[in-house]
Amino acid sequence: GAPAALDLLATARAAGVRVHLPTDYITGDAFAPDAQLGVADDATGIEDHCMGLDIGPKTAAHFARVVSAAGRVLWAGGGMGVFEFDRFAGGSKAVLDATVAATRAGAVTVLAGGDTATLAKKFGAERLVGHVSTGAEAPLLLLAGRPLAAVEALSPAPRAPASPSPQRAPRSSLARPAVRVGIHGTSRAALLVARAILVSERGSVAVVAINDPTGRVPPEAIAYLLSRDTVPGPLPEVTAVDGGLEARPSPSSPALFLPCAAAPGDGAALWASAGANYVVHAGEGEAPRAGGAVHKVLVLPVGQDGPGAGPAPVAFGANE
């Protein structure tokens, strides 16, 4: 109750953390979609026969400014008000729009909890933020350093460096194909491009490296994603080895070695050393047609000054 809230505010002040609280409110005379609307603030208070069902416009604007400027957003616990009723959804929508804007600006954004996920779905924002989870407590426990059984079970166990496979195709067999592609990023769209190149088994095109610029996706995870994608069909054999992946496009194919890296930024030095003459960038982007956000793939020819410095890039949708 109130004592616990006061204790939390005191703890935040002692740690130098600013807590942003609402100062005005949209009220209703009943918990109903057709309730009579009213407004209130800290000075006037909420009338006895009413209840606060949404944050007010001043608070919504303030919260939106804070979220838009944030580098990391963890939103757990539902909306700002009773967003299920349209007339009380304005505050939640304003903060959700700010979260989407922060995501587009490069912020890490996570929406956690069933009510928060429902809010994102109501306004079509599931694919416009970094991650949506129906679990609210689990992310908070994870951030607090508590072990989670499912995460522990899925985390790769420490392993000794793998010995080179006698069936691995030597690097020299892939030397200087006409099209040498670097995969920049580990989104599904990017890995679909890598998969398409692998299964084509054309000697004139090869993937020279897969780069994770975030440094958070290990080769084990990339192997899992490539081997479990059921839409185009999983690759039958993809395993993490020391320094990258071994991939076998078909049971009769020799194993190919794909280096994996974690070069930050645009990875220009990596692509130069790997000899890439094309780099695939993939991520979320607004579609030029109805339907909201779609995965986009941007193929950037590599010039002397790094990705994008050569000929004009080619952009196309992942489903095209």
Side-chain angles (χ1 to χ4, degrees):
L6 294 174
D7 288 343
L8 287 173
L9 290 174
T11 301
R13 281 194 298 270
V17 174
R18 183 180 178 186
V19 178
H20 300 269
L21 297 174
T23 58
D24 64 330
Y25 318 92
I26 302 297
T27 66
D29 62 353
F31 190 82
D34 58 351
Q36 183 66 39
L37 291 175
V39 294
D41 58 27
D42 287 347
T44 64
I46 297 175
E47 295 182 89
D48 290 341
H49 68 283
C50 292
M51 60 188 77
L53 298 180
D54 194 10
I55 57 175
K58 292 181 181 179
T59 299
H62 174 66
F63 284 3
R65 285 193 298 270
V66 173
V67 170
S68 296
R72 297 180 182 86
V73 178
L74 172 61
W75 184 345
M80 302 295 109
V82 188
F83 64 86
E84 294 86 350
F85 300 157
D86 289 344
R87 60 173 51 192
F88 299 111
S92 299
K93 177 65 163 55
V95 178
L96 181 62
D97 288 345
T99 305
V100 171
T103 307
R104 288 174 176 160
V108 176
T109 57
V110 177
L111 273 59
D115 287 342
T116 320
T118 300
L119 169 64
K121 184 176 181 180
K122 176 183 176 75
F123 292 108
E126 311 104 298
R127 295 182 178 275
L128 303 180
V129 296
H131 181 70
V132 178
S133 168
T134 55
E137 183 180 6
L140 299 178
L141 293 175
L142 186 64
L143 288 174
R146 295 273 296 277
L148 300 180
V151 174
E152 296 290 316
L154 293 173
S155 298
R159 57 177 176 79
S163 300
S165 170
Q167 300 183 48
R168 176 186 294 177
R171 293 173 189 255
S172 58
S173 68
L174 299 178
R176 309 308 292 182
V179 179
R180 302 176 298 281
V181 181
I183 305 295
H184 189 70
T186 57
S187 69
R188 187 184 188 195
L191 295 182
L192 280 173
V193 176
R195 181 192 183 282
I197 294 172
L198 286 171
V199 299
S200 72
E201 298 192 73
R202 295 178 180 175
S204 61
V205 60
V207 176
V208 296
I210 299 177
N211 183 46
D212 166 35
T214 70
R216 296 194 298 264
V217 185
E220 291 84 358
I222 299 173
Y224 179 88
L225 293 170
L226 282 170
S227 64
R228 296 297 193 275
D229 197 330
T230 57
V231 175
L235 288 173
E237 293 185 36
V238 184
T239 56
V241 297
D242 189 30
L245 306 175
E246 272 190 357
R248 197 182 299 272
S250 65
S252 60
S253 303
L256 302 176
F257 177 62
L258 298 180
C260 291
D266 63 6
L270 168 66
W271 307 129
S273 64
N277 54 6
Y278 285 86
V279 177
V280 172
H281 289 256
E284 293 286 341
E286 287 294 333
R289 58 185 183 275
V294 297
H295 282 293
K296 304 292 289 184
V297 179
L298 184 63
V299 181
L300 297 178
V302 178
Q304 293 182 349
D305 297 324
V314 179
F316 54 93
N319 292 330
E320 299 167 4

